[in-house]
Amino acid sequence: MEVFFYGFMQRAFQASILISLIAPVLGLFLILRRQSLMADTLSHVSLAGVALGLLLGYDPTWINILVIVIAAIALEYLRKVYRTYSEISIAILMSGGMAVALVLMGLNDSGGTVSIQQFLFGSIVTISNQQVWMLLILTSIILVLYGIFRKPMYTLTFDEETAYTAGLPIQFMSLLFNILTGITIALIMPIVGALLVSAILIMPAAISIRLSKRFNGVIVIGIGVALTGMILGLLASYYIGTPPGASITLIYIAIFSLISVFK
């Protein structure tokens, strides 16, 4: 039992470190691009991917990644169609994804409710070696792409017309960002839960913005905030028995409240 405990807790801490490295990067760009709700939308769609995987009897993680990549592409397409009313694309995909998820869960009569609940609320016991390795690969890709596209993404975030005039591949960069955000959500959702996965991405960047006005400073501070919240939340989840996503989110809110008071 002790070996089992150390095994999944070790994987949980490894996953938290990797999540802490990429959450502030993605979260900051989501905030600056005014797409904070995109993470929430993709998390709702990811439930449809999980439900489809359980219904078909395949690994929900891989089916979820496929579904969420398609949703990320659709989100970018709808954002172009409704350029003036970008929130329409969010409303369409969020409601559509949840509707599909509920229908698929209704069709699945094989007793998969527990699995669905684990994806809804998160569970540190569900973290496998495969998920840790997938998170490691994803983290490496995001950090490398951030080093390459940091300045172009900065330009695209604040002035899309200037980025287009400068000849930057704005559609490719925006689509790639959506896809990477979607895959990140698909991988961390079993740990923190679909209902609060957007908070895990957004909160560290939102907190660090209060502490630094420099772009790189926000990301560095955000990594520290994310790591603190993830570790304390996972420890609270294990010892108190609370859902991991809820515990981590409450830690973030506590940090945000303290900083707001002292600021």
Side-chain angles (χ1 to χ4, degrees), residues 217-229:
V218 170
I219 290 179
V220 171
I221 295 173
I223 291 174
V225 171
L227 191 57
T228 302

Side-chain angles (χ1 to χ4, degrees), residues 103-201:
V103 169
L104 292 176
M105 282 188 280
L107 293 175
N108 185 9
D109 56 356
S110 59
T113 306
V114 176
S115 298
I116 286 291
Q117 287 181 348
Q118 287 176 346
F119 281 95
L120 273 173
F121 304 108
S123 174
I124 54 178
V125 184
T126 60
I127 306 173
S128 63
N129 285 323
Q130 181 191 32
Q131 287 175 319
V132 174
W133 279 106
M134 292 173 71
L135 268 173
L136 177 61
I137 295 171
L138 178 65
T139 302
S140 303
I141 293 173
I142 289 177
L143 292 180
V144 169
L145 289 175
Y146 172 72
I148 296 173
F149 289 101
R150 182 175 65 87
K151 290 184 178 179
M153 276 297 294
Y154 187 86
T155 305
L156 175 63
T157 298
F158 287 103
D159 194 343
E160 189 168 329
E161 292 183 1
T162 300
Y164 179 78
T165 305
L168 295 176
I170 58 174
Q171 188 169 357
F172 170 75
M173 289 193 302
S174 185
L175 182 60
L176 181 62
F177 176 76
N178 286 2
I179 290 174
L180 289 175
T181 302
I183 295 175
T184 302
I185 289 171
L187 291 182
I188 70 177
M189 190 180 72
I191 305 170
V192 300
L195 297 179
L196 293 172
V197 66
S198 59
I200 307 302
L201 290 180

Side-chain angles (χ1 to χ4, degrees), residues 34 76-90 160:
R34 291 172 173 80
E76 181 63 18
Y77 170 75
L78 290 173
R79 192 176 73 89
K80 295 291 183 183
V81 173
Y82 297 103
R83 184 180 296 273
T84 308
Y85 308 100
S86 57
E87 69 278 1
I88 293 179
S89 60
I90 292 175
E160 189 168 329

Side-chain angles (χ1 to χ4, degrees), residues 21-94:
L21 291 174
I22 57 178
V25 177
L26 296 176
L28 180 57
F29 280 115
L30 285 171
I31 291 173
L32 294 178
R33 298 184 67 183
R34 291 172 173 80
Q35 291 183 321
S36 299
L37 286 177
M38 186 181 81
D40 205 29
T41 301
L42 292 179
S43 67
H44 281 69
V45 175
S46 65
L47 281 176
V50 171
L52 180 61
L54 293 174
L55 180 64
L56 298 178
Y58 292 106
D59 186 351
T61 301
W62 291 106
I63 300 295
N64 192 16
I65 290 175
L66 176 61
V67 169
I68 211 165
V69 166
I70 295 173
I73 296 172
L75 187 63
E76 181 63 18
Y77 170 75
L78 290 173
R79 192 176 73 89
K80 295 291 183 183
V81 173
Y82 297 103
R83 184 180 296 273
T84 308
Y85 308 100
S86 57
E87 69 278 1
I88 293 179
S89 60
I90 292 175
I92 292 174
L93 274 182
M94 185 181 292

